[in-house]
Amino acid sequence: MKKIALISTPWPLFNRPSIQLGALKAFVQEKLPSIQVDSHHVYLNIAASLGYDLYAKISESTWLAEPLYATLLYPDRAGTIERFWQKRSRRLGLVERLSYQGLCHKIKNFSARVIDKERWENYSLIGFSICFGQLTSSLWFIREIRQRVANIKIVVGGPACAGDMGKSLLQCFPEIDFVIQGEGELPLVRLVEWVENTQDYTSEASIPGLISRHFHNGSERVSQVPHLDELPFPEYADYFNHLKSLTPEKTFLPKIPMEISRGCWWRKKAGPNGSAGCAFCNLNLQWLGYRAKSHHRVVKELETLIEKYQILSVSFMDNLLPAKGLETLFKQIQGIGKDLRLFSELRATTPNEILVAMGGAGMREVQVGIESLSSRLLRKINKGTTAMDNMEIIKNCESPGTPDITGNLILGFPSSDELDVAETLACLEFIFPFRPLKGIPFWLGYGSGVFEMPDTYGIKRLRNHPYYAYFFPPEILQRLRLMVQGYQGGVRYQNRIWKPVKKKLEEWRNTYMELHRVPGAGPILSYQDGQKFMIIRQRGIGSYDMTHRLQGTSRRIYLFCQTQRSLPQILSRFPGFGEEKVGAFLNMMVHKHLMFTEGKKYLSLAVRAR
Ligand code: SF4
């Protein structure tokens, strides 16, 4: 039987199969049943050999991950790369007993073992899926395989190959024959047919979505499956067989990746700065438009995957879940009656009813696109949300029956200023009762809105991030276009103005941890409802709980504002109370940090006690 191989190299999360490999394998096998597709999760080999803890720590940072295989790729740069790695690993708190050289030596041995045990000459084509942090490892494996089998065809694809990044890989690395631009399924099937049937470089072959050093007229035009329901279910058997082959102490229960949609519907909206989608985001370079599977298909796929692999933990890999019908979908998922553990990313505008439906279906954790607690800055980012929206979802995720939230605050976004910082700090004063966010420094992604319109954000001299200069020789680097970009313009100023926010985030994390040290301590700010009155309880460090009793209309206003309400909404709901009295009550609640206010909107902060 004719065979092709699909490879995913370090450093993706080791505890789940590659969704790219799973989707491509299933599609090629469905369309070309005479072809055997083997998917090689090389990252699982390396993680199991290296130790999962160390692998996980390295995979958390692209600047820890990329240098390791860069050292194998360019041994004459080892000294320079080692100095860089030592600095970064210390800063990121990676305490490693092995020397850097020892670590590289181990990785080289483990990787060589993976390569030597396979008969690559049996494959007519080898495809590499290159995502974030997988560039140097993919290049090293490509080079090593090519050295062993000189005439094997190599194709690469994935987010790190979009647009000019893919073209530059083709220019700089002669071992790569083809680059897929955009979605992989259709171009890969056409390429496999070409490899198996003609291999005629002189013909006028043109495969949409595939560029090549061979074809006369390779086509950059993205070619994608029109309806996601047409895709077969992803095929993860190779990963699970691999896992079974490990010794008992190395096995674990993995998570299954699944997608409900591809692309992002928010990208259709052009913001005040003209950029479509969130200005920092480059997650959707691969997709044209937004496509989602039907509910029926999602539920069937989910049921099939959990039955087939006997796993109950599923991560939805979507950049953005569909805007409509989520409550119904998650109620249907709940209806299948399994104790699932789900994960997903979400927009901050997701209402509480959906969060509750998700919680009921087994959604344990959501990563929410918070990014900022300043509405002014959120407008610059074109996030389409406000600080109040963010506060509301963070609060809702503290309530019983909803998923736990994780989210980031972008520090140092170009064009942010002292007023943005002041708004953030003011908002942080109210947010202490809830699960802390993580501060992350802004990084400039190739193809993002900021990258496309640098003038708008006050930056200039865009080029590959200077850190890449440690890994690649200058003659290669100057021709490469890479995922993380460097720039000039206000970087020092940004670092300076965001320092107080960094400090506040640390204080927030410490306070939250301290107040949750006792298991089952409950929310920091909660209420119990007695129907005619309610009691709000505020916990603090080293002090007795503060309690507040609200009665009658005060109680009803507080409950009405469990979701953000404007002053006119409150007044028309409680007409007999009068603007002056309502205003005084709301101000008092804000003063006590029991409510949050922004632009004449009010949000109650206490969540129902568990
Ligand atoms: S961050 Fe999320 S919502 Fe924003 S453009 Fe990217 S995928 Fe879309």
Side-chain angles (χ1 to χ4, degrees):
M1 196 178 202
K2 293 170 178 173
K3 297 206 297 182
I4 67 162
L6 300 176
I7 298 182
S8 184
T9 60
W11 302 89
L13 294 182
F14 67 87
N15 63 351
R16 65 184 184 210
S18 154
I19 191 158
Q20 293 83 4
L21 265 49
L24 291 169
K25 173 173 171 141
F27 193 79
V28 175
Q29 285 192 332
E30 184 187 77
K31 300 293 171 203
L32 306 171
S34 62
I35 304 291
Q36 178 179 322
V37 183
D38 294 341
S39 46
H40 297 269
H41 293 81
V42 172
Y43 61 83
L44 180 58
N45 293 81
I46 304 304
S49 306
L50 207 55
Y52 295 128
D53 283 351
L54 176 58
Y55 180 96
K57 277 183 195 152
I58 294 171
S59 64
E60 274 171 25
S61 162
T62 191
W63 300 126
L64 283 185
E66 294 286 16
L68 293 162
Y69 279 93
T71 308
L72 308 191
L73 207 50
Y74 302 109
D76 53 327
R77 305 185 64 74
T80 314
I81 302 175
E82 177 176 354
R83 280 193 293 282
F84 170 83
W85 199 86
Q86 298 288 14
K87 225 174 165 179
R88 296 294 306 171
S89 61
R90 263 198 304 275
R91 196 178 302 168
L92 295 169
L94 179 68
V95 185
E96 174 48 34
R97 272 170 283 123
L98 276 176
S99 69
Y100 181 75
Q101 281 147 22
L103 182 58
C104 289
H105 188 67
K106 267 190 168 190
I107 289 173
K108 187 175 179 183
N109 285 345
F110 298 146
S111 304
R113 228 186 280 159
V114 172
I115 292 182
D116 290 336
K117 82 171 196 296
E118 205 57 51
R119 301 195 56 184
W120 301 103
E121 65 276 15
N122 290 343
Y123 294 109
S124 53
L125 177 73
I126 300 185
F128 283 80
S129 161
I130 312 184
C131 300
F132 205 59
Q134 285 183 297
L135 181 61
T136 56
S137 60
S138 297
L139 291 172
W140 186 82
F141 275 90
I142 288 170
R143 193 185 68 187
E144 293 294 310
I145 292 175
R146 202 55 187 266
Q147 275 172 4
R148 285 160 176 78
V149 190
N151 58 353
I152 198 150
K153 302 277 178 298
I154 304 274
V155 57
V156 300
C161 305
D164 287 345
M165 294 187 287
K167 282 187 222 159
S168 73
L169 287 175
L170 207 54
Q171 278 166 16
C172 295
F173 300 98
E175 300 89 349
I176 298 173
D177 298 286
F178 312 100
V179 177
I180 288 177
Q181 300 271 279
E183 186 168 281
E185 276 88 348
L186 292 174
L188 183 62
V189 164
R190 295 279 310 274
L191 178 63
V192 175
E193 286 174 327
W194 179 85
V195 168
E196 295 300 339
N197 298 327
T198 65
Q199 295 212 13
D200 178 7
Y201 292 132
T202 59
S203 75
E204 289 301 293
S206 166
I207 297 178
L210 188 84
I211 52 173
S212 155
R213 64 177 67 258
H214 306 298
F215 295 158
H216 294 303
N217 55 349
S219 165
E220 292 170 33
R221 194 159 45 85
V222 170
S223 165
Q224 57 185 34
V225 176
H227 304 290
L228 295 189
D229 281 6
E230 290 166 19
L231 294 172
F233 297 158
E235 177 53 68
Y236 299 132
D238 291 329
Y239 179 91
F240 280 87
N241 290 336
H242 185 166
L243 196 57
K244 261 191 228 151
S245 73
L246 299 175
T247 51
E249 71 278 7
K250 299 233 158 156
T251 55
F252 53 85
L253 273 183
K255 296 176 183 189
I256 301 176
M258 193 182 137
E259 54 189 0
I260 294 175
S261 63
R262 288 182 181 176
C264 169
W265 49 263
W266 178 246
R267 279 186 70 80
K268 282 194 210 149
K269 321 254 171 168
N273 291 333
S275 76
C278 308
F280 61 87
C281 173
N282 70 348
L283 289 175
N284 299 290
L285 299 179
Q286 264 181 300
W287 322 116
L288 274 183
Y290 183 75
R291 292 157 297 157
K293 294 173 183 169
S294 65
H295 288 184
H296 174 71
R297 157 67 195 242
V298 171
V299 174
K300 199 157 167 240
E301 182 172 333
L302 184 64
E303 282 187 295
T304 306
L305 292 176
I306 55 188
E307 283 305 320
K308 183 170 175 184
Y309 300 112
Q310 303 275 294
I311 289 291
L312 292 164
S313 298
V314 177
S315 300
F316 294 117
M317 307 298 285
D318 308 53
N319 289 339
L320 189 56
L321 289 178
K324 291 190 185 132
L326 277 189
E327 193 176 347
T328 317
L329 174 63
F330 280 95
K331 281 185 175 159
Q332 287 176 12
I333 292 176
Q334 184 176 11
I336 66 179
K338 314 246 193 256
D339 290 332
L340 299 172
R341 289 184 88 95
L342 305 174
F343 165 83
S344 164
E345 301 207 3
L346 276 190
R347 255 181 89 72
T349 45
T350 308
N352 197 42
E353 306 80 76
I354 295 178
L355 293 173
V356 170
M358 286 179 148
M363 186 69 74
R364 294 295 173 86
E365 188 188 329
V366 284
Q367 163 97 29
V368 178
I370 299 289
E371 330 304 359
S372 172
L373 293 173
S374 151
S375 293
R376 201 168 167 272
L377 180 52
L378 285 162
R379 277 194 296 279
K380 293 178 193 172
I381 296 177
N382 189 31
K383 193 71 205 173
T385 54
T386 60
M388 176 73 95
D389 295 331
N390 286 339
M391 185 71 91
E392 185 168 347
I393 194 163
I394 292 170
K395 176 199 91 153
N396 287 340
C397 286
E398 200 75 16
S399 309
T402 55
D404 289 344
I405 192 171
T406 55
N408 297 325
L409 275 195
I410 300 176
L411 307 178
F413 182 81
S415 80
S416 59
D417 56 27
E418 275 103 339
L419 284 175
D420 302 325
V421 171
E423 274 193 9
T424 308
L425 288 170
C427 190
L428 278 167
E429 293 297 330
F430 287 82
I431 213 165
F432 268 52
F434 310 126
R435 201 170 294 272
L437 300 171
K438 194 172 164 197
I440 51 154
F442 170 80
W443 62 273
L444 178 61
Y446 167 86
S448 63
V450 180
F451 175 87
E452 296 297 340
M453 296 184 300
D455 294 348
T456 310
Y457 295 96
I459 61 171
K460 57 186 183 213
R461 301 225 175 119
L462 273 54
R463 65 203 181 285
N464 290 322
H465 194 286
Y467 286 171
Y468 289 119
Y470 291 97
F471 319 152
F472 292 100
E475 65 282 7
I476 297 280
L477 187 59
Q478 69 187 11
R479 289 185 291 143
L480 273 177
R481 192 53 126 163
L482 296 165
M483 181 70 93
V484 186
Q485 293 287 297
Y487 59 91
Q488 280 182 6
V491 178
R492 276 214 201 110
Y493 167 76
Q494 294 296 341
N495 285 341
R496 180 172 57 76
I497 63 170
W498 285 97
K499 264 189 193 149
V501 173
K502 263 187 175 173
K503 211 168 143 219
K504 205 79 188 166
L505 288 175
E506 212 179 302
E507 198 187 319
W508 180 10
R509 194 175 50 247
N510 293 341
T511 308
Y512 190 88
M513 273 167 51
E514 182 62 32
L515 287 169
H516 284 86
R517 200 179 287 281
V518 181
I524 295 171
L525 182 58
S526 63
Y527 73 85
Q528 288 171 278
D529 188 19
Q531 298 298 324
K532 289 190 178 146
F533 69 96
M534 68 189 299
I535 295 169
I536 302 174
R537 176 171 167 248
Q538 231 172 351
R539 299 200 292 123
I541 295 177
S543 61
Y544 287 114
D545 294 353
M546 291 231 289
T547 52
H548 313 262
R549 187 176 288 110
L550 299 182
Q551 289 170 326
T553 312
S554 304
R555 166 189 163 270
R556 286 168 53 221
I557 292 177
Y558 198 79
L559 290 177
F560 181 62
C561 292
Q562 278 297 313
T563 186
Q564 53 183 290
R565 308 285 187 182
S566 65
L567 187 57
Q569 278 176 320
I570 301 169
L571 291 173
S572 77
R573 181 65 176 255
F574 302 97
F577 214 47
E579 184 168 351
E580 212 175 296
K581 265 186 166 178
V582 172
F585 169 70
L586 293 171
N587 285 343
M588 180 186 71
M589 298 310 274
V590 171
H591 181 70
K592 291 180 173 176
H593 288 197
L594 301 178
M595 282 181 125
F596 177 66
T597 183
E598 184 184 41
K600 298 221 163 160
K601 281 187 169 181
Y602 293 86
L603 173 72
S604 300
L605 295 178
V607 300
R608 194 179 269 274
R610 284 171 203 249

